[in-house]
Amino acid sequence: LTQIDKFLYMSDTNIKAGALLAVGILNCGVRNECDPALALLNDYVEPGAETPQLKMGALLGLGLAYLGTRKAEVLEQLVPVVADLDTPLEVVAMASLSLGLTFAGSCHEDITQTIIAALMEREEASLETESLTRLLCLGVGLLYIGRQGEADLALELAKAVPGEAGAYCAITLETCAYAGTGNVLKVQRLLGLAGEHNNKEEEEEEAAPAP
């Protein structure tokens, strides 16, 4: 940490964000009574405190530092970030991913509802144009990693999200829930989905003028 500390005082935002991420990586799997990662990164997560780049670095750092720990302080810090409609979508995406990492396999209902509510309350067009929307879906999926049928209720909630974001969230959640299980029916279903053709894209190609 002493080697990284000097980079936290740099004026370049990208360097500083990288340093915040490095703090999280260094503390991944490390248990310390002083909780240096939480102490260093918390200030950058506060509402309105920093630029989106710094928030994203700090958020992902927290997720990596407390991977699988189900730490209550991370929950208290990140759920309000996801629930705040004024927070930029890319920041919400990173907070969702970090919650998924921290509470992986926990089937945490409150986090599930918060992330899915964020998907439902945002404009459908903005969700489809922002590539980081996928991280909200992955955050939900990680909460149910390997938990199979325990994800059924969350899956129904995900299907209520309108548009492509809802479809992506549902398939991501289902895939994570059955990851590593070798469930034949799920494998067949996923193979079927992979083999489907997008009729809309085919129609666009047919309608396009020949070169």
Side-chain angles (χ1 to χ4, degrees), residues 129-202:
T129 54
E130 174 56 72
S131 61
L132 291 181
T133 298
R134 297 181 179 90
L135 296 185
L136 280 90
C137 304
L138 180 57
V140 176
L142 288 171
L143 295 173
Y144 295 88
I145 190 83
R147 301 305 292 265
Q148 303 186 62
E150 293 178 73
D152 288 348
L153 181 58
L155 192 56
E156 292 304 313
L157 288 174
K159 290 176 180 177
V161 177
E164 294 179 4
Y168 186 88
C169 186
I171 194 65
T172 302
L173 174 55
E174 188 175 6
T175 303
C176 288
Y178 288 89
T181 63
N183 186 297
V184 176
L185 294 177
K186 295 300 177 183
V187 171
Q188 290 176 340
R189 169 171 149 68
L190 293 172
L191 286 172
L193 289 172
E196 289 181 0
H197 295 283
N198 190 325
N199 293 328
K200 183 179 178 181
E201 288 182 2
E202 290 180 355

Side-chain angles (χ1 to χ4, degrees), residues 49-192:
E50 299 293 344
T51 64
Q53 292 94 329
L54 294 181
K55 281 182 179 293
M56 291 168 72
L59 287 165
L60 185 54
L62 281 172
L64 293 172
Y66 297 103
L67 178 66
T69 62
R70 305 182 185 182
K71 193 172 182 65
E73 289 86 346
V74 176
L75 176 71
E76 293 169 5
Q77 194 73 17
L78 301 195
V79 164
V81 176
V82 177
D84 186 0
L85 289 176
D86 293 326
T87 303
L89 184 56
E90 64 267 26
V91 175
V92 171
M94 207 58 71
S96 300
L97 176 60
S98 291
L99 283 168
L101 290 169
T102 306
F103 290 85
S106 67
C107 301
H108 201 293
E109 292 183 7
D110 289 343
I111 299 175
T112 302
Q113 292 172 6
T114 301
I115 297 176
I116 290 179
L119 286 168
M120 296 180 74
E121 291 169 0
R122 300 264 172 169
E123 292 184 7
E124 187 176 328
S126 67
L127 292 175
E128 293 179 2
T129 54
E130 174 56 72
S131 61
L132 291 181
T133 298
R134 297 181 179 90
L135 296 185
L136 280 90
C137 304
L138 180 57
V140 176
L142 288 171
L143 295 173
Y144 295 88
I145 190 83
R147 301 305 292 265
Q148 303 186 62
E150 293 178 73
D152 288 348
L153 181 58
L155 192 56
E156 292 304 313
L157 288 174
K159 290 176 180 177
V161 177
E164 294 179 4
Y168 186 88
C169 186
I171 194 65
T172 302
L173 174 55
E174 188 175 6
T175 303
C176 288
Y178 288 89
T181 63
N183 186 297
V184 176
L185 294 177
K186 295 300 177 183
V187 171
Q188 290 176 340
R189 169 171 149 68
L190 293 172
L191 286 172

Side-chain angles (χ1 to χ4, degrees), residues 13-35:
T13 301
N14 292 321
I15 293 176
K16 197 171 181 180
L20 293 170
L21 177 58
V23 170
I25 294 171
L26 272 177
N27 284 277
C28 184
V30 176
R31 299 294 166 261
N32 189 320
E33 291 181 3
C34 298
D35 259 345

